[in-house]
């Protein structure tokens, strides 16, 4: 009988179906609009009238049977697929977690923050000047006119004849004094640029500038502030000493050494056996610089200082090559995690 063959065929194919999707396709093949069982019902017209009721009954029974079979198989398939999905997504909550990699402040940023912290404790305010400067602010107003030999001390990147990448944060001294009258206690951190490149020099580095202008400021005030800075930044027993030097914008000018924080002054490789390490340049603000900014040099005096932030970081953390600070190798940087 045709209905029996169809029933067997449908059963076999349905049991072989390996997914809900495949099972649905088998179901459509028999019970769908163009399916085999539907075709039997459509073919009723060609059957002799006296056989029609019996035939129709058989086909309807077949349809109901197959519908029942498909719905129980569908149910079984759904359960199996759900179990497989759950097994695949199983999470072992007792497994150790994957650690997130933590970032850390770059040693230059960290050192800059330390310095800002130390000096703001002494009443300094932070002021930032532009990285692209004019010749006027970077040199001329700092008592370094065009033919001044001190310009050779710093190999400058010029953009035009009068515009350049600042070679020193000292330019900020002028910008601030033009805006603000004394008393002034300014700290100016920032990037500077020089055409210079070896193990201790980089074409881009950072400086921290300081400027104090008020009535009766003396070199003693500078010395006292430097001692305070050295003790806070390096070691509680650090000392400073001043050596005569030359900068066009200060008079007198000094080079400042800090007692070696590694050997305490006895002499070691870091301080090259001298017990002292040069850390910054400083001096009393030159009268001409005050005049250039409209500050009366007979009423006011001041001191200024400038240090390389990379240099301070290298000394403090024992870093022997400045390139480590720009390569951003995480094996180096992660050593500065707190
Ligand atoms: N601008 C100097 C430099 O880059 C550093 C410096 C020296 C800054 C003496 C100062 C200072 O403010 O008084 O070499």
């Amino acid at each position: 009988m045709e209905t029996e063959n169809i029933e067997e065929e449908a059963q076999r194919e349905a049991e072989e179906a390996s997914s809900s999707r495949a099972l649905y396709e088998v179901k459509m093949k028999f019970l769908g609009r163009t399916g085999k069982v539907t075709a039997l019902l459509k073919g009723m017209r060609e059957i002799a009238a006296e056989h029609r009721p019996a035939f129709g009954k058989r086909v309807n029974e077949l349809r109901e049977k197959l519908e029942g079979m498909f719905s129980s198989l569908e149910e079984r398939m759904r359960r199996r697929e759900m179990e497989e999905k759950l097994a695949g997504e199983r999470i072992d909550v007792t497994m150790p977690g994957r650690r997130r990699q933590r970032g850390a402040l770059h040693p230059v940023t960290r050192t800059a923050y330390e310095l800002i912290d130390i000096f703001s404790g002494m009443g300094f305010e932070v002021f930032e000047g532009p990285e692209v400067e004019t010749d006027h602010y970077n040199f001329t107003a700092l008592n370094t006119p065009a033919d001044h030999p001190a310009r050779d001390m710093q190999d400058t990147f010029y953009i035009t004849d009068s515009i350049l990448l600042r070679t020193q944060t000292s330019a900020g001294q002028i910008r601030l004094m033009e805006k603000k009258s004394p008393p002034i206690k300014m700290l100016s951190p920032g990037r500077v640029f020089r055409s210079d490149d070896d193990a201790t020099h980089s074409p881009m580095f950072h400086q921290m500038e300081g400027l104090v202008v008020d009535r009766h400021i003396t070199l003693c005030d500078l010395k006292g502030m430097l001692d305070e800075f050295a003790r806070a930044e390096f070691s509680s027993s650090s000392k400073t000493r001043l050596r005569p030097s030359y900068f066009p914008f200060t008079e007198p000018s000094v080079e400042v050494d800090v007692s070696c924080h590694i050997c305490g002054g006895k002499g070691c490789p870091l301080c090259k056996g001298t017990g002292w390490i040069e850390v910054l340049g400083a001096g009393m603000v030159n009268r001409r610089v005050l005049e250039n900014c409209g500050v009366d040099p007979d009423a006011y005096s001041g001191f200024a200082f400038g240090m390389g932030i990379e240099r301070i970081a290298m000394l403090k953390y024992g870093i022997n090559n400045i390139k480590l600070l720009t390569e951003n190798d995480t094996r180096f940087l992660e050593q500065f995690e707190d």
Side-chain angles (χ1 to χ4, degrees):
M1 292 286 279
E2 199 172 5
T3 49
E4 279 164 18
N5 289 343
I6 289 179
E7 184 181 340
E8 254 172 50
E9 193 187 342
Q11 206 147 16
R12 187 165 30 80
E13 289 189 23
E15 267 157 21
E16 280 169 6
S18 58
S19 66
S20 299
R21 170 103 217 127
L23 186 61
Y24 176 77
E25 270 158 22
V26 177
K27 183 173 165 181
M28 287 303 108
K29 179 173 167 187
F30 293 93
L31 299 178
R33 241 176 345 108
T34 55
K36 291 193 173 181
V37 177
T38 322
L40 286 181
L41 286 171
K42 279 184 189 156
M44 288 257 274
R45 262 175 275 124
E46 281 136 47
I47 288 174
E50 66 267 35
H51 297 311
R52 253 182 236 160
F55 180 77
K57 193 166 167 248
R58 273 208 316 279
V59 176
N60 274 331
E61 277 168 4
L62 172 65
R63 202 186 57 207
E64 275 162 29
K65 213 163 157 189
L66 292 186
E67 273 168 359
M69 177 196 74
F70 277 113
S71 75
S72 75
L73 282 178
E74 275 162 3
E75 181 55 30
R76 207 165 74 192
M77 187 67 80
R78 249 202 306 279
R79 234 180 291 131
R80 207 184 76 201
E81 285 177 347
M82 179 58 86
E83 274 162 20
E84 276 171 7
K85 192 162 174 245
L86 289 177
E89 288 175 358
R90 200 185 158 90
I91 294 169
D92 182 353
V93 291
T94 66
M95 289 243 296
R98 225 174 274 144
R99 269 219 188 198
R100 274 227 193 161
Q101 216 184 351
R102 273 185 68 207
L105 286 182
H106 189 279
V108 169
T109 309
R110 193 183 163 121
T111 305
Y113 285 180
E114 276 167 17
L115 295 171
I116 290 172
D117 201 39
I118 293 169
F119 285 101
S120 52
M122 293 192 256
F124 284 71
E125 280 177 88
V126 172
F127 169 80
E128 287 182 78
E131 291 172 5
V132 176
E133 257 304 0
T134 63
D135 187 276
H136 172 77
Y137 287 102
N138 195 79
F139 289 124
T140 314
L142 285 162
N143 196 32
T144 321
D147 54 354
H148 197 288
R151 287 204 179 194
D152 296 340
M153 286 159 66
Q154 303 175 355
D155 286 316
T156 310
F157 289 115
Y158 279 93
I159 293 168
T160 68
D161 281 351
S162 59
I163 300 174
L164 45 80
L165 296 182
R166 69 175 171 197
T167 60
Q168 49 189 1
T169 44
S170 307
Q173 293 186 22
I174 308 297
R175 287 195 175 267
L176 186 80
M177 279 194 281
E178 277 182 356
K179 271 207 206 107
K180 188 175 184 265
S181 32
I184 285 171
K185 257 184 153 180
M186 171 204 88
L187 193 64
S188 190
R191 277 193 193 110
V192 298
F193 306 85
R194 293 181 197 180
S195 168
D196 214 351
D197 203 1
D198 62 33
T200 50
H201 296 88
S202 154
M204 184 285 292
F205 62 103
H206 299 76
Q207 282 187 335
M208 185 69 81
E209 189 81 14
L211 174 70
V212 172
V213 182
D214 202 350
R215 293 182 195 278
H216 315 300
I217 297 292
T218 69
L219 199 65
C220 285
D221 296 311
L222 171 63
K223 178 72 164 86
M225 185 224 66
L226 289 170
D227 285 336
E228 184 64 31
F229 148 72
R231 283 192 295 265
E233 179 63 17
F234 295 104
S235 131
S236 56
S237 55
S238 288
K239 295 182 184 53
T240 62
R241 74 174 185 189
L242 309 183
R243 283 181 290 105
S245 183
Y246 174 77
F247 298 103
F249 34 89
T250 44
E251 182 56 37
S253 300
V254 293
E255 210 87 62
V256 180
D257 294 345
V258 173
S259 56
C260 181
H261 56 288
I262 301 297
C263 63
K266 287 198 258 320
C268 72
L270 182 70
C271 58
K272 301 195 183 80
T274 65
W276 294 95
I277 298 168
E278 184 190 318
V279 291
L280 59 96
M284 299 306 292
V285 181
N286 193 307
R287 292 175 62 89
R288 293 224 186 136
V289 174
L290 294 176
E291 276 166 8
N292 290 344
C293 302
V295 177
D296 177 0
D298 293 319
Y300 292 100
S301 57
F303 65 75
F305 60 90
M307 64 185 97
I309 301 179
E310 278 82 354
R311 177 156 174 80
I312 303 288
M314 288 170 79
L315 290 171
K316 180 155 180 176
Y317 300 113
I319 302 164
N320 59 11
N321 192 326
I322 198 166
K323 299 290 179 295
L324 287 165
L325 295 170
T326 42
E327 277 167 354
N328 288 336
D329 185 328
T330 52
R331 289 168 303 178
F332 168 74
L333 295 176
E334 70 196 4
Q335 296 175 45
F336 296 89
E337 245 182 64
D338 279 319

